[in-house]
C-alpha cells in the first residue's frame, strides 16, 4: 500500500473506532450497534479495491478486538472485516463512476448482514453463544437498519477523502463525470448539483450585466 493510503486509512479507522466506542457504543439501542468502523472499511475498500480493502479491514478489526470494552477473542472481528473488506473491494467500479446510489446501499446492507453472520459463526466455533440469547434475526435486522441510516453521512465523505489522498483525476468531476462519492449523493434525486451551480452563476452574471447597461443608459439620458 502507498504511504498516503496507510496514513489516511489509519487516521480514519482510529477516529471511527473512538467514536464507535465512546458514542455509538453507549447509545443503548435495541439489538445491534451502528458499526462506524465497518462503514469506514467499506468506504475505503470501494475506492482502493479488494487487496487494500482486506488489509484495511484486518487492521481495523484487530484494533476493534483490542479496544476496550472488547469481551471476545482477539482476531475474531479482524477476520470478519478482512473478508468484508475484500468482498467490498470487488464491488468497486472499474471506471470509478456510479450512476446511482443503489450499488453502494446494497453493499452496505450486504456488509452489515454478512459481518453479523460471520461474527456469530466464528463465535459459535469458539463457544460464544451470545447471539442466540439476543436473537440472530433481530441482530441482522437492526444491524442493516442502523448501518444503512448512518452510511449516507459517512461513506461518501470517506470515499471523497480517499480519492483526494490518491490525487485521482476522477476526484475532479468538472470533466462531466460522476465519481463514486458524488454519485452516492446526487443519484436518485434527479438533481445535477454542479450544473445547477454553474447555471446560477451565469444567470447572476447576466443579471448584473443587464442592470449595469440600464444604469449607463439612464446616465446618458
Amino acid at each position: 500500500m502507498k504511504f498516503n493510503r496507510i496514513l489516511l486509512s489509519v487516521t480514519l479507522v482510529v477516529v471511527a473506532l473512538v467514536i464507535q466506542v465512546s458514542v455509538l457504543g453507549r447509545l443503548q439501542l435495541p439489538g445491534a450497534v451502528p458499526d462506524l468502523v465497518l462503514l469506514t472499511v467499506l468506504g475505503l475498500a470501494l475506492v482502493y479495491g479488494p487487496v487494500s480493502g482486506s488489509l484495511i479491514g484486518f487492521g481495523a478489526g484487530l484494533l476493534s478486538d483490542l479496544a476496550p470494552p472488547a469481551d471476545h477473542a482477539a482476531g475474531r472481528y479482524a477476520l470478519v472485516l478482512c473478508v468484508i473488506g475484500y468482498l467490498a473491494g470487488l464491488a468497486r467500479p472499474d471506471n470509478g463512476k456510479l450512476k446511482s446510489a443503489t450499488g453502494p446501499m446494497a453493499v452496505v446492507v450486504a456488509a452489515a448482514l454478512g459481518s453479523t453472520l460471520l461474527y456469530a459463526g466464528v463465535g459459535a466455533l469458539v463457544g460464544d453463544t451470545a447471539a442466540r440469547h439476543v436473537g440472530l434475526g433481530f441482530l441482522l435486522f437492526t444491524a442493516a437498519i442502523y448501518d444503512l441510516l448512518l452510511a449516507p453521512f459517512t461513506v461518501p465523505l470517506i470515499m471523497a477523502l480517499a480519492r483526494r489522498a490518491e490525487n485521482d483525476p476522477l476526484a475532479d468531476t468538472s470533466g462531466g463525470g460522476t465519481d463514486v462519492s458524488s454519485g452516492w449523493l446526487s443519484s436518485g434525486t434527479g438533481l445535477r448539483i454542479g450544473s445547477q451551480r454553474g447555471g446560477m452563476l451565469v444567470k447572476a452574471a447576466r443579471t448584473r450585466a443587464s442592470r449595469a447597461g440600464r444604469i449607463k443608459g439612464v446616465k446618458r439620458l
Side-chain angles (χ1 to χ4, degrees):
M1 291 178 64
K2 299 179 180 179
F3 176 75
N4 54 350
R5 287 189 180 186
I6 297 175
L7 181 61
L8 178 65
S9 300
V10 171
T11 302
L12 291 177
V13 167
V14 170
V15 171
L17 183 59
V18 171
I19 297 175
Q20 179 80 33
V21 173
S22 60
V23 179
L24 299 179
R26 300 183 179 182
L27 294 179
Q28 297 182 351
L29 296 173
V33 177
D35 198 338
L36 185 58
V37 176
L38 171 65
L39 296 178
T40 302
V41 172
L42 292 180
L44 294 172
L46 286 172
V47 176
Y48 294 150
V51 176
S52 296
S54 62
L55 294 176
I56 295 170
F58 179 82
L62 188 59
L63 287 177
S64 299
D65 289 331
L66 299 177
D71 56 353
H72 55 269
R76 180 175 171 184
Y77 202 46
L79 174 62
V80 171
L81 286 189
C82 181
V83 175
I84 295 298
Y86 181 84
L87 296 178
L90 294 177
R92 177 182 181 271
D94 294 333
N95 58 358
K97 299 177 182 179
L98 289 174
K99 296 182 179 180
S100 69
T102 305
M105 290 174 65
V107 170
V108 170
V109 174
L113 298 177
S115 62
T116 305
L117 286 174
L118 283 174
Y119 188 83
V122 174
L125 293 177
V126 297
D128 185 359
T129 59
R132 297 180 181 178
H133 300 292
V134 178
L136 183 58
F138 185 61
L139 282 177
L140 291 172
F141 175 75
T142 53
I145 294 297
Y146 295 156
D147 291 348
L148 191 59
L149 292 176
L150 186 61
F153 305 99
T154 55
V155 177
L157 176 61
I158 293 170
M159 296 173 73
L161 290 174
R163 286 211 174 279
R164 293 294 182 184
E166 285 285 286
N167 294 321
D168 194 331
L170 288 174
D172 184 8
T173 59
S174 59
T178 303
D179 67 12
V180 179
S181 57
S182 63
W184 179 294
L185 295 173
S186 61
S187 58
T189 61
L191 300 177
R192 295 182 178 179
I193 300 174
S195 60
Q196 283 189 343
R197 185 182 301 171
M200 292 176 65
L201 292 176
V202 171
K203 290 181 180 180
R206 290 178 178 175
T207 303
R208 288 195 296 268
S210 61
R211 289 179 180 176
R214 289 197 296 267
I215 292 173
K216 290 181 179 179
V218 173
K219 290 183 177 178
R220 290 175 182 176
L221 292 175

